[in-house]
Amino acid sequence: MPAVRMGATLDTLAVIGLDLPAPALAKLRGAFPTVHYYPKIHTDPEATIPAEVRGDIDMVFSQWKALPVDCPLADLPKLKHIQLSTAGVDMALRSSPAIRELAQPNPPDVTLSTASGAHVLSIPNYVVAMTINLYHQIQQMLRVAREKQYWSKTEADLRGEPYYARSTFGRTVGLLGYGALGRETARLLKAHGMRVIAANTTGQSTSETEYVIPGTGDPDGSIPEKFFSTKDPASFEAFLRETDVLVSSLPSTQYTKWMLDAEKLALLKPDALFINVGRGDLIKSDEILKALDAGSLYGVALDVTEPEPLTDGHPLWTHPRVIVTPHLSGNVEGELSIGTDIAVENAERLRKGLKPFNVVDIQKGY
């Protein structure tokens, strides 16, 4: 990871591929003497960063594709920091040769940050909504209402039993990943009477040191009753066995790819839910179907899938115990304004010689 520059000079910002609302753009213009604004890069094939300004750019604020493919880091000799507007970095690594340069031996002295924390106002709410929807079998009621268009209490239960809503109260939510999203999900679901446990790489509680919207999350990591390690097979198995509602907010890395399968989902408590708001390559879609067919899952909500986009006609689309949404849970009202706040805050931290928030460890992939 590059060393943090002490008291960095940040005069010139390039905004790439972001169609910012006027107040957000004005905030950036107030924070930097010079702002170059290129909202059409990545959507217009002809749009790029003009050669005559590349040598002046100190910082970049970009959408998920980061720098255009025709702009290597060598063209940006003054560049000190790249701020993404997205929480994940996996797509930037795939799309941007400049970002991949940062993963090479002896990379340029450039830091890269994500907008982790920007989506705590929507994704944890989505998790709460899907937990309640699935335990109340709302997807089944909607299907009957829209397809048959009549009043029926006898068809509200997918098992053909007398209908009743499962309660969140007293059940255990297992949070797979305990970053910004996991912490805010913990806070919200605890308010719904749920017991909270979490699994991360260390199996230890940690304080939040990255960007946080005031009033959200779990700053000191005190909400979960227990922590488990994803790197210790026995600990991870114990985590799954205690879980009623499994929520993944993990990024896509070499360590998280295919971390789950039908066998692991079978370890969850009876009538368990699985909700994935992280990345689709955590588990193969066929493995989810196996778990559903085996009866080990009561319901599933997927905002991310494998493959993504989920193919037309895939069985998950119409499975009665599954809700699939097209990777929109993070599209929060004011998202770009929050991302702008993070960019400005990180610029100020760099100017003070402080480490920016949400710096990516390229080797880890997050």
Side-chain angles (χ1 to χ4, degrees):
M1 185 182 301
V4 177
R5 296 169 182 260
M6 300 303 293
T9 299
L10 297 173
D11 292 332
T12 302
L13 173 73
V15 180
I16 296 174
L18 296 171
D19 188 7
L20 296 176
L25 185 56
K27 184 168 187 174
L28 291 173
R29 295 195 189 282
F32 292 86
T34 302
V35 175
H36 298 295
Y37 184 47
Y38 307 114
K40 294 185 178 180
I41 289 179
H42 298 311
T43 56
D44 180 349
E46 303 299 321
T48 190
I49 304 172
E52 60 270 22
V53 306
R54 294 185 180 189
D56 298 326
I57 294 171
D58 299 299
M59 179 171 164
V60 165
F61 180 32
S62 174
Q63 51 101 290
W64 61 269
K65 288 185 178 179
L67 292 164
V69 295
D70 69 344
C71 186
L73 292 178
D75 284 5
L76 306 168
K78 293 178 65 179
L79 183 65
K80 303 171 184 69
H81 186 68
I82 301 169
Q83 176 67 57
L84 298 177
S85 65
T86 54
V89 71
D90 52 310
M91 292 184 285
L93 282 165
R94 290 197 295 268
S95 301
S96 174
I99 298 300
R100 291 196 292 274
E101 286 183 57
L102 297 178
Q104 301 303 312
N106 303 311
D109 189 12
V110 176
T111 48
L112 170 69
S113 284
T114 70
S116 178
H119 304 100
V120 299
L121 301 182
S122 62
I123 295 179
N125 299 59
Y126 173 98
V127 172
V128 173
M130 291 301 163
T131 300
I132 294 171
N133 280 337
L134 290 167
Y135 272 147
H136 285 246
Q137 302 189 73
I138 298 297
Q139 79 280 12
Q140 171 66 1
M141 296 186 205
L142 289 174
R143 186 189 69 80
V144 172
R146 290 174 178 173
E147 291 181 5
K148 301 188 177 182
Q149 299 180 38
Y150 59 62
W151 187 281
S152 175
K153 293 186 178 182
T154 60
E155 296 175 82
D157 188 89
L158 285 163
R159 295 173 176 170
E161 301 171 355
Y163 174 83
Y164 65 90
R166 273 74 176 167
S167 175
T168 57
F169 189 84
R171 282 187 162 91
T172 298
V173 58
L175 298 169
L176 187 50
Y178 205 64
L181 298 179
R183 290 168 192 260
E184 177 66 355
T185 301
R187 186 180 75 87
L188 295 179
L189 286 177
K190 184 177 181 181
H192 284 263
M194 297 197 78
R195 173 176 176 260
V196 180
I197 60 175
N200 56 18
T201 54
T202 66
Q204 301 293 322
S205 170
T206 59
S207 295
E208 180 61 272
T209 59
E210 305 300 347
Y211 182 83
V212 176
I213 295 175
T216 68
D218 177 22
D220 60 0
S222 63
I223 292 178
E225 292 184 14
K226 295 181 183 179
F227 278 85
F228 301 81
S229 172
T230 57
K231 291 197 171 182
D232 179 340
S235 179
F236 190 40
E237 179 177 329
F239 164 74
L240 294 171
R241 289 189 183 278
E242 288 196 33
T243 296
D244 291 293
V245 179
L246 178 62
V247 179
S248 175
S249 57
L250 291 176
S252 175
T253 73
Q254 59 179 321
Y255 304 108
T256 62
K257 191 171 184 179
W258 318 137
M259 178 182 282
L260 293 180
D261 55 24
E263 185 177 341
K264 288 189 173 66
L265 292 179
L267 298 174
L268 300 172
K269 288 185 178 180
D271 282 355
L273 305 182
F274 172 51
I275 301 172
N276 192 2
V277 291
R279 286 293 184 264
D281 61 6
L282 177 76
I283 182 170
K284 295 179 180 179
S285 293
D286 287 347
E287 293 295 308
I288 297 174
L289 288 168
K290 285 181 186 178
L292 286 162
D293 292 342
S296 56
L297 289 175
Y298 186 72
V300 173
L302 304 171
D303 193 50
V304 290
T305 60
E306 181 285 320
E308 189 171 313
L310 191 64
T311 53
D312 294 353
H314 193 283
L316 284 173
W317 284 118
T318 54
H319 197 289
R321 283 181 282 137
V322 177
I323 300 173
V324 178
T325 53
H327 204 153
L328 291 174
S329 67
N331 290 30
V332 63
E333 181 181 15
E335 178 181 3
L336 290 178
S337 296
I338 300 170
T340 297
D341 290 343
I342 298 174
V344 170
E345 178 68 21
N346 274 343
E348 289 305 309
R349 291 179 68 83
L350 283 162
R351 287 170 179 144
K352 294 174 182 177
L354 301 174
K355 178 184 175 182
F357 286 127
N358 305 335
V359 172
V360 174
D361 184 327
I362 295 290
Q363 301 306 321
K364 290 182 178 179
Y366 61 92

